[in-house]
Amino acid sequence: DAGQVLAAASLDALPSWPTATGEATLAQLGDGQRVLRVALDAEVEGDVVREVWLLTPEVDGLISLGYLTGASGEFIVPDSVDLGRFSVVDISAEPLDGDPTHSGDSIVRGALEV
């Protein structure tokens, strides 16, 4: 079930990652679940994982959806998440340091648009 596409985003590279590119698509599945599909093209080295987030446009609120393993992934967006408020997709590079907060090292970011 590919679902009905609700919104999409082109994910643009942030200054520390000038060659990175990405895209995101938000779909609603037949059972009502919302799924965010992301694809990322970026070289990440060392003890770093890539984490997918939803942010507010003002970056004053964020929700982690999980870790991206490989070049693409799918993440269920809980019904409790207000996509009108959390409309920006962000993929960050996170050190394996046990700190669950955003590292501040975003690779790509873009706003979901209908």
Side-chain angles (χ1 to χ4, degrees):
D1 179 12
Q4 176 185 357
V5 174
L6 303 175
S10 175
L11 305 179
D12 299 323
L14 275 84
S16 295
W17 300 87
T19 62
T21 60
E23 58 186 33
T25 304
L26 178 71
Q28 185 161 13
L29 304 180
D31 63 4
Q33 282 192 320
R34 299 176 298 178
V35 63
L36 182 71
R37 296 181 177 108
V38 297
L40 174 67
D41 184 6
E43 293 293 323
V44 179
E45 299 175 3
D47 287 342
V48 173
V49 294
R50 294 158 303 152
E51 192 164 0
V52 177
W53 305 82
L54 289 175
L55 311 175
T56 61
E58 301 79 21
V59 194
D60 60 358
L62 67 157
I63 298 169
S64 172
L65 295 180
Y67 296 108
L68 180 64
T69 58
S72 63
E74 292 189 356
F75 302 88
I76 298 298
V77 178
D79 290 338
S80 60
V81 174
D82 178 359
L83 290 168
R85 181 167 182 243
F86 293 92
S87 59
V88 177
V89 177
D90 178 278
I91 303 176
S92 66
E94 299 290 332
L96 295 172
D97 59 6
D99 184 349
T101 62
H102 195 295
S103 66
D105 186 9
S106 293
I107 301 169
V108 292
R109 184 179 294 166
L112 288 167
E113 297 180 8
V114 177

